[in-house]
Amino acid sequence: MYKKQILILCGVLFTAMIYSQQGFVHEQSKGYVWPEEKNVHEKLDSWQDLKFGVLFHWGLYSVPGIVESWSICSEDVDWIPRDSNVSYEEYKRWYWGLKDQFNPVDFDPDQWSDVMEKAGMRYAIFTTKHHDGFNMFDTKESDFSIAKGPFKNHPKADVAKFVFEAFRQKDFMVGAYFSKPDWHSQYYWWDYFATPTRNVNYKIERHPERWDKFKQFTFNQMQELMTNYGDIDILWLDGGWVAPPRQDIDMDRIAAMARSNQPGLLIVDRTIRGKYENYQTPERSVPAEQLPYPWESCIPLSSDWGWIPDATFKTPVEVIALLIEVTAKGGNLLLGVGPTSEGIIQPEVEVILKEIGDWLKINGKSIYNTRITPHYHSGDVWFTADKDSKTIYAHYVPENDKKIPSVIEWEGNTPKKGSKVTLLHIQKQVKWTVDGNKTRIVLPVIKNHINLPLVFSFETSR
Ligand code: GLC
């Protein structure tokens, strides 16, 4: 009887383990370790001023417009759709073959950077290699690359180089997304075995020399990125399951190499708590409360990271509301955008982003370069503060489709007695009264009032 119970318990624990390994969305890690290096600290501080960035997912998956990389991973979960008429092995062959179709003849990184600049973004992260192992840079380590397929004779065949360049020219910080797992490498998914999960598919203890090769291969690729692609601000490492103790790629060695080439580099070894996770990256979500250390919510503009046909996009108001909430809680917002397989940002996305940028152009003071204020939220209103804490910004975020009322109220963060409260987008003072802890703003009549968040700036008595 007792034995049976233990067996059942083991079964439950085992199932729980499997499921916890298969979580799609990366959890943010709890502990944070402040970097010791002064220049990393400084870079973090400047990065926190930027608030709004873009994360491009561009790769083989952009050709048919499917989920990024994951469809070749044989885990049985609902978010990995795959044609059920072909066998897994056949499917993989088809997927690898996409390399011969990927020919982004309209590739125009200046259009990308134009669109993102107009959106009010200030940093850009680009997928140099996703989990499928397809390289979006000209690596010497593999032929499985955009620079070796039909696009190889194009003057911008080393696409990562030109993406970084286009954004640096607009004073963006630039970051290289790099997936630690590589499902195309024989040192990670070895053809000798099946590939049932996202993990390395052989026992590292039995084949240590193969794993050593993987480590060297990964090191070499990151070295290429850190030496041949100009100044890089962020190394954004995905695939958190590649980590010690089992899948140790020697981050100390990688980080030392990376920082010797890119002083002050921010290393974001996602979900791996410790000194190489210089900021945390809650995914598709915003933390419930303010966090006292650097972080960034990464959230795609559509339902997917890469380009997919007939996507439904978030509205400009939704994105602005996210940006406000994230800023009030002390984070940055990294918005996911997928360029098309031809190599451009589609017009529909451009229109949405432009509206966000137009809002930021007149209200951006309340977002960029701000820091958190202890009291940051009251009903529909979110607060941020200037770095010197003198000026407070109150953002009123209208609920979807709800008309903006003529009176707006919040609790806490009371304006200083006799001071002015300015409605930012019209640069006009508004009438305000205080009732105990409550501030009440009477909105002036504004012509062509649009249903976008309103920002009030004022000094507090704190
Ligand atoms: C998740 C997905 C990965 C994607 C990343 C972007 O980790 O697994 O495919 O690139 O999110 O944040």
Side-chain angles (χ1 to χ4, degrees), residues 22 27 186 195 255 269 306 324 343 356 359-360 367 373-375 388 397 440 443:
Q22 288 186 347
E27 300 261 308
Q186 285 301 304
T195 55
D269 195 8
I324 290 171
I356 299 166
W359 184 87
L360 274 166
I367 301 287
T373 168
H375 176 64
D388 61 11
V397 179
R440 189 166 290 138
L443 282 184

Side-chain angles (χ1 to χ4, degrees), residues 10 205 273:
C10 286
E205 335 49 283
R273 205 184 287 194

